[in-house]
Amino acid sequence: MRVNKKYSCLPAEEKGIHIINIRAIEDIGYDQHESTLLNSLSKNPDADCKYGLYFRDGKRKVDYILVYHYKKSSAGKALARRAQHNDASLRSTKQDQPLPGKGVQLEMGESEPHLDYHEDDKRFRREEYEGNLVEAGLELERDEDTKIHGIGFVKIHAPWNVLCREAEFLKLKMPTKKVYQINQTHGLLKKINSVIQKITEPIQPKVAEHKPQTVKRLSYPFSREKQHLFDLSDKDSFFDSKTRSTIVYEILKRTTCTKAKYSMGITSLLANGVYSAAYPLHDGDYEGENVEPNDRKLLCEEWASYGVFYKYQPIDLVRKYFGEKIGLYFAWLGVYTQMLIPASIVGIIVFLYGCATVDENIPSMEMCDQRNNITMCPLCDKTCSYWKMSSACATARASHLFDNPATVFFSVFMALWAATFMEHWKRKQMRLNYRWDLTGFEEEEDHPRAEYEAKVLEKSLRKEHKHKETDKEKLTWKDRFPAYLTNFVGIIFMVGLTFAIVFGVIIYRISTAAALAISSTPSGRSSVRVTVTATAVIINLVVIIILDEVYGCIARWLTQIEVPKTDKNFEERLIFKAFLLKFVNAYTPIFYVAFFKGRFVGRPGDYVYIFHSFRMEECAPGGCLMELCIQLSIIMLGKQLIQNNLFEIGIPKMKKFIRYLKLKRRRSLDHEEHMKKKQRYEVDYNLEPFAGLTPEYMEMIIQFGFVTLFVASFPLAPLFALLNNIIEIRLDAKKFVTELRRPVAVRAKDIGIWYNILRGIGKLAVIINAFVISFTSDFIPRLVYLYMYSENGTMHGFVNHTLSSFNVSDFQAGTAPNDPLDLGYEVQICRYKDYREPPWSENKYDISKDFWAVLAARLAFVIVFQNLVMFMSEFVDWIIPDIPKDISQQIHKEKVLMVEVFMREEQGKLQMLETWKDKDKRKGENCNNHSPRLSRSRSGSLSSCHSYPLDV
């Protein structure tokens, strides 16, 4: 009868007792009149169980849901409902009691064509697995009478004794009765903190968890032997819904069904389609008039709303609802967004400095001065003609906005900013670990994945078939060698594909520039460079977005064929592959413009050709930095706008609309089911499953690369990242609260491998910015000219110094312009940007000494800049402690208090023992005085005189 209490066999409609088993009622002493009375007084059972949040008794909370598909014809519904009740009552006396619903399927199997073998196999596995869950102490309740036709739900409840047992196994830290005072600041710091609290009060979320606390409960790993230490006055709320679902999930992972030598946990059962879904429930609805207050509704109002974009995030409430791992992601995203504020302000100042000094920039003024009358060599063969340098005036002036002395300062600032951000996050992480009782937490090895178990089983079966003795099998590198080889070849192919696409875009740029140059209109010829650059960047953007999705799928497939043992190993390998492919995909076009474009052009009369017909691209007279800025800004903003925001908003909305249409079609088929209100687990089933945090982290890490790697060319990158992240936080929050099933809470004390990736990008950013300033911009050539070649200590004559001369009679046959008189006069000498000897020199067109002087200065700058900034970053890392001083003091205080608690407990035990010994001694003396015979045989029979149970 114990198992019957754990299962409810009747569908929701039968709880109203308008369909009743008369025989069963007579057996328990009721007659028909009493059943009529019960029927008239019955309540809505769905309201009693809060529409799926509780079992039908309205007392036991639903901690987890298992979903499965079953085949059931609409003609047998009434028979199924009656058979369900009869079968449960008939089988209640058997030792191996089935779950409600099994009898229905068996009886239907007799009256209808037999289901296929796979359906029977799935049903048998479910029966065994659910029976094992009952043996593990969980309580189950089945519901097949739902609005979603063909879908069955198994509700799982963990009773108190199971929660205590598993909390002890998992070493969950729970708050004890001991409360202690948190150290408070004094004097000037206290006044400053109070002023800051008053100023920031309007931007604080209105949740209890976010208020500053002055006291904290001492936490200790839960132990059933030490339950007296914990505050168990309200057992229903001692383990919150997040903890309960985590405990149930741990039981589901380690519980197996072993029929036909096939050991399967919940991950294997889901992978093999035995169950279609498994998830914990949300706390309730988040919108509506009569919605009861719950954490989900509070999160929706104070966190997942665009109207509160200016407020801090209620991180403690996020952690309470979703768990530590998701809480740490949003905490990291919040810290990153806050740190972007000073970077954005400095970036705006640098940009404004460029705007203010553009009219004072001598090189751009010389380029725009038409009196200089500098004639430039053609940009392409035959179709392109000579052109005036003054026609590139707009590009030169725009280049100064980003290529000025303040850019160098901003690069140094951003390198230090990255180091400070990492240190600030480490300190914030330690504060959260202390607040969330994660100090001392160590992640244990996870259960093997379903695919790994299947591979090991396949290997052991092969060995058994060969009649070999087998120990416990595991996959070795030999088993994985084909997968490793496929990974290596696949990644090399994908990287090669990215390079090939970038090369294709280069060919497009060269051919389009030549085609547009044929245009007879002067305005068309003057805008060739801008048109080609803009269209090529848009093509790059579209390709990057498409390949991002393709590479994500390929990275997952490559990781799956490796068959990692645990989910943690799988996630780390997936992150590494996805990051490598997406990094190459996003940054290859930018690397080309920054470091390769214009480097291998050659010179007039001896150009470098691709396929013997396409001439390599040249940089503009003002340098390639402006084009790098255009490339970086369009790709960054396009990815953020289209991929991160439009896809995240549009695709979920589209999926939701498709699900709505499907449900509408089903409802039209069954009007009776349409009239019922949906249960909580039915509503959550229609939500999107949680796919992990990897996509969320990945888009932020790629953005972090845009902000730090090439920030010397685009000082406004932090500003656009800040604006995107303000929207991104609320967008992700809304997705987690309203559009996704509730994920299983996972404990974590840090952000894992992502921290190492961030540090790597920070180090790489120093090197890349050093090369951008030194080789892409004109900063070093200007310094060399100013201090080595300038006659009057100014920048006058710099443009002429950077240009070399070419005699047009030295053109190769078939490469001279078709229209040499396009400018209205015959050209004898044209200029091109390079450091080469003039045509009247003995070694004409050879590289000049100026080139080597500038190259030496560039390399020296790279070495000095890199070492100086690295040293400053390491100094910041060293000077800022990883653990805040007040947190280290509080952790030490907790340890001392915990020792005091146990010392008092031990002293109490010793005093109790001494008291009992004294009582025993006095009782023994009294016993000896009354019975001399007993005193002679004291050692053998004294214990029979008085015995006291001792339970210490």
Side-chain angles (χ1 to χ4, degrees), residues 54 71 105 122 218 255 267 328 336 456 622 631 813 879 923:
Y54 288 81
K71 292 184 178 179
Q105 293 169 351
K122 289 179 183 179
L218 193 64
T255 304
T267 51
L328 280 172
Y336 171 47
V456 170
Q631 185 101 5
I879 202 171
K923 294 284 185 182

Side-chain angles (χ1 to χ4, degrees), residues 112-367:
E112 296 179 4
H114 190 67
L115 298 177
D116 58 39
Y117 168 77
H118 295 292
E119 289 298 321
D120 285 344
D121 183 56
K122 289 179 183 179
R123 179 161 52 85
F124 291 145
R125 289 183 188 178
R126 283 199 298 268
E127 289 174 3
E128 185 197 358
Y129 182 71
E130 289 162 6
N132 292 341
L133 291 179
V134 173
E135 290 180 5
L138 298 178
E139 300 179 2
L140 312 181
E141 182 178 82
R142 188 188 295 276
D143 185 6
E144 291 184 354
D145 190 26
T146 63
K147 293 187 73 173
I148 308 174
H149 187 68
I151 301 292
F153 296 89
V154 177
K155 295 175 275 187
I156 303 177
H157 169 78
W160 172 256
N161 61 326
V162 173
L163 293 172
C164 293
R165 181 190 72 205
E166 298 298 323
E168 187 172 348
F169 291 166
L170 296 173
K171 300 176 184 177
L172 295 180
K173 273 192 171 183
M174 304 302 293
T176 63
K177 296 176 183 176
K178 177 70 176 177
V179 179
Y180 68 95
Q181 194 81 17
I182 297 176
N183 293 339
Q184 301 294 320
T185 54
H186 301 285
L188 182 62
L189 282 176
K190 186 177 181 181
K191 293 180 180 178
I192 293 173
N193 287 339
S194 63
V195 170
I196 292 173
Q197 285 180 7
K198 288 180 181 177
I199 293 173
T200 60
E201 189 176 355
I203 60 174
Q204 300 291 346
K206 297 177 182 177
V207 296
E209 286 80 1
H210 198 77
K211 294 178 180 178
Q213 297 178 345
T214 56
V215 295
K216 186 178 184 292
R217 284 190 178 273
L218 193 64
S219 295
Y220 185 73
F222 188 82
S223 172
R224 287 173 288 181
E225 293 181 356
K226 300 184 182 297
Q227 287 193 30
H228 57 278
L229 294 176
F230 302 95
D231 184 11
L232 303 178
S233 55
D234 186 6
K235 290 185 177 181
D236 291 337
S237 62
F238 182 73
F239 295 106
D240 57 15
S241 60
K242 164 187 68 77
T243 308
R244 296 175 72 99
S245 63
T246 303
I247 288 173
V248 172
Y249 183 63
E250 286 295 323
I251 298 174
L252 292 175
K253 281 199 294 185
R254 71 166 185 259
T255 304
T256 59
C257 65
T258 56
K259 283 188 178 179
K261 295 185 179 181
Y262 204 90
S263 178
M264 302 179 74
I266 186 61
T267 51
S268 301
L269 294 171
L270 288 168
N272 286 278
V274 179
Y275 290 102
S276 58
Y279 52 88
L281 292 179
H282 279 292
D283 279 358
D285 291 324
Y286 59 90
E287 59 183 358
E289 296 180 358
N290 301 320
V291 176
E292 294 184 5
N294 59 71
D295 287 342
R296 189 187 186 194
K297 186 174 185 294
L298 188 59
L299 281 171
C300 188
E301 293 171 352
E302 294 294 327
W303 182 51
S305 171
Y306 295 111
V308 294
F309 72 93
Y310 59 92
K311 289 188 176 183
Y312 286 102
Q313 299 181 86
I315 292 297
D316 291 324
L317 185 59
V318 174
R319 173 253 178 180
K320 178 185 173 185
Y321 193 78
F322 291 109
E324 286 79 6
K325 192 170 185 178
I326 293 175
L328 280 172
Y329 163 70
F330 281 103
W332 173 82
L333 185 55
V335 169
Y336 171 47
T337 305
Q338 287 176 9
M339 288 294 291
L340 282 172
I341 295 174
S344 302
I345 293 171
V346 176
I348 292 170
I349 292 172
V350 169
F351 179 73
L352 293 177
Y353 170 81
C355 294
T357 58
V358 68
D359 291 330
E360 301 170 7
N361 183 40
I362 295 173
S364 62
M365 290 169 63
E366 286 184 348
M367 288 181 64

Side-chain angles (χ1 to χ4, degrees), residues 3-21:
V3 180
N4 276 345
K5 292 178 182 178
K6 294 183 180 180
Y7 299 100
S8 177
C9 304
L10 297 175
E13 294 170 0
E14 292 183 352
K15 285 291 183 179
I17 322 185
H18 55 271
I19 299 175
I20 217 156
N21 190 327

Side-chain angles (χ1 to χ4, degrees), residues 881-930:
D882 293 346
I883 305 176
K885 187 177 180 181
D886 59 326
I887 296 299
S888 60
Q889 290 175 349
Q890 298 287 28
I891 293 172
H892 178 70
K893 185 177 181 180
E894 275 197 352
K895 290 179 180 178
V896 172
L897 289 173
M898 205 72 243
V899 171
E900 288 180 2
V901 168
F902 284 117
M903 289 298 294
R904 285 177 190 166
E905 190 177 358
E906 290 297 323
Q907 289 173 1
K909 289 179 183 178
L910 290 173
Q911 289 176 1
M912 194 179 297
L913 283 171
E914 291 293 334
T915 304
W916 285 342
K917 283 180 180 178
D918 291 342
K919 287 182 180 180
D920 277 344
K921 192 174 181 181
R922 286 197 297 270
K923 294 284 185 182
E925 289 175 357
N926 293 336
C927 193
N928 290 337
N929 291 336
H930 288 291

Side-chain angles (χ1 to χ4, degrees), residues 537-591:
V537 172
I538 292 170
I539 292 172
N540 272 326
L541 174 63
V542 173
V543 170
I544 286 171
I545 291 173
I546 294 172
L547 287 184
D548 255 3
E549 302 301 320
V550 174
Y551 286 169
C553 298
I554 291 174
R556 180 169 290 276
W557 177 73
L558 290 174
T559 310
Q560 285 172 346
I561 63 174
E562 280 187 43
V563 196
K565 184 175 181 180
T566 63
D567 285 329
K568 184 179 179 181
N569 291 340
F570 181 88
E571 186 179 20
E572 288 180 351
R573 295 186 187 195
L574 173 63
I575 288 168
F576 173 75
K577 292 181 187 65
F579 174 74
L580 178 63
L581 293 174
K582 293 190 176 186
F583 182 89
V584 172
N585 181 40
Y587 296 116
T588 300
I590 301 172
F591 269 94

